[in-house]
Amino acid sequence: MAILPQNLPDRLKKNFFGIDPVIDEISDFVIPWHQMPDSYIRPIIINLWGMTGTGKTTLVRDISQLLDI
């Protein structure tokens, strides 16, 4: 079930604890891309790194599922 991109940070913050700044930063890149993908001439690359088990993969999976991409 797709949600509005503006609601993405709030939904993700309910599922993840302690990474609110990361969620905000990723949302700042993903939301404009999702709303106007044809306006970008270069790919957007977002790098996530950190210790094992911090939720990087789950975060990306949740974003793709929530935005239905």
Side-chain angles (χ1 to χ4, degrees), residues 1 23 34 41 50 53 60 63 65-66:
M1 178 177 158
I23 290 172
H34 188 266
I41 58 174
V60 173
I63 289 170
Q65 186 177 32
L66 289 171

Side-chain angles (χ1 to χ4, degrees), residues 1-68:
M1 178 177 158
I3 63 167
L4 292 174
Q6 297 83 359
N7 299 338
L8 181 67
D10 296 331
R11 284 287 293 272
L12 292 171
K13 288 177 184 178
K14 290 179 183 177
N15 296 336
F16 295 93
F17 178 75
I19 60 169
D20 290 355
V22 174
I23 290 172
D24 290 334
E25 194 170 347
I26 292 173
S27 298
D28 290 343
F29 288 107
V30 171
I31 291 172
W33 169 81
H34 188 266
Q35 291 177 340
M36 300 181 304
D38 294 334
S39 65
Y40 288 89
I41 58 174
R42 296 182 184 165
I44 295 176
I45 299 172
I46 301 172
N47 294 316
L48 297 177
W49 65 88
M51 294 178 56
T52 304
T54 56
K56 298 177 297 291
T57 303
T58 307
L59 177 64
V60 173
R61 285 182 182 158
D62 283 2
I63 289 170
S64 64
Q65 186 177 32
L66 289 171
L67 294 178
D68 200 27

